[in-house]
Amino acid sequence: MDKLDYSPEGVDSWKTIILLYNSALKEVGTKLEILNDEFQHVHQYNPIEHIKSRIKTPESIVKKLKRRGYESSIENMVKYVNDIAGIRVICSFTSDIYRIADMLAKQSDIKVLSIKDYIRNPKESGYKSYHMIVTVPIFLSDGSKEAKVEIQIRTVAMDFWASLEHKINYKYEGDVPEHIKRELLECAEMVSDLDAKMLSLNEEIKDGEEDEDVVGGLRLVR
Ligand code: 0O2
């Protein structure tokens, strides 16, 4: 079977499942916005630049199931496709990524199923990002259900790289010429250098601001 089940019952369960995944995206999105607002309130800065969320297309779900040798059924998609609901969090600095991930993981209704740290362990291509698969409870009229969400957290620079690499992979249908792969890898190194430099510059500025507070007594509580 190359298509998902489009029979009336199939469409009905597809709609129910998509409702669940959409609700999960809203839940996680709100959690992230609250953390960002609280950070602004306490530390006077926003660790999150922006958030993008999406539901994977049926074509993309079928492709992923096929790639892994599973039949295209709604049951298999729920069981084996972890990123039907995906949320991408773009942060300013690498340190913010771990802070956000840690704060989310500590929330009592979030269950972390898996973590892939492609920042500490980048892919061979140079891809860097922090991935978490979590579940959140969705409260419906007849009780609660757990829904899976893939959260990708990365810096602006990592996101820039990943978007271009994704475009290149799409254009060459995965068969990317060696010289482009090499240049992408070089760009990935530049991205890491840029992120490290921006972080250390920011730390220096923050240290300066703290000293100023103590000397000038401009703000009593930071
Ligand atoms: P698309 O088109 O973005 O949806 P798992 O989810 O753990 O069962 P998977 O999917 O191999 O297994 O997990 P992984 O490695 O965490 O990758 C999930 C998603 O991360 C991918 O989804 C991509 O969005 C992104 N990603 C992973 N590796 C790369 C990479 O090398 N380059 C880019 N640009 N993105 C990457 P999909 O379904 O593959 O694609």
Side-chain angles (χ1 to χ4, degrees), residues 111-212:
K111 217 180 290 160
V112 180
L113 299 184
S114 71
I115 287 175
K116 287 187 193 165
D117 188 347
Y118 294 126
I119 296 174
R120 291 202 171 110
N121 306 296
K123 285 196 161 184
E124 245 177 64
S125 59
Y127 178 74
K128 288 178 95 183
S129 186
Y130 189 91
H131 294 189
M132 296 167 94
I133 311 281
V134 305
T135 62
V136 270
I138 307 299
F139 296 93
L140 300 169
S141 54
D142 58 348
S144 80
K145 290 197 170 65
E146 297 287 328
K148 267 189 264 186
V149 179
E150 186 201 58
I151 308 169
Q152 300 184 349
I153 320 177
R154 51 174 81 146
T155 61
V156 180
M158 290 173 197
D159 191 50
F160 185 32
W161 185 96
S163 308
L164 181 63
E165 194 254 8
H166 188 265
K167 210 155 59 181
I168 290 173
N169 256 316
Y170 188 78
K171 179 174 159 53
Y172 290 101
E173 291 170 350
D175 201 11
V176 181
E178 280 309 312
H179 76 279
I180 296 188
K181 278 193 196 166
R182 251 194 329 272
E183 288 191 46
L184 271 172
L185 203 54
E186 273 173 33
C187 288
E189 278 157 23
M190 288 181 208
V191 162
S192 301
D193 288 347
L194 178 67
D195 275 336
K197 279 207 174 104
M198 298 288 261
L199 178 64
S200 78
L201 254 179
N202 190 54
E203 295 296 322
E204 200 181 316
I205 292 165
K206 266 189 351 202
D207 288 349
E209 281 173 355
E210 270 157 24
D211 290 347
E212 213 173 90

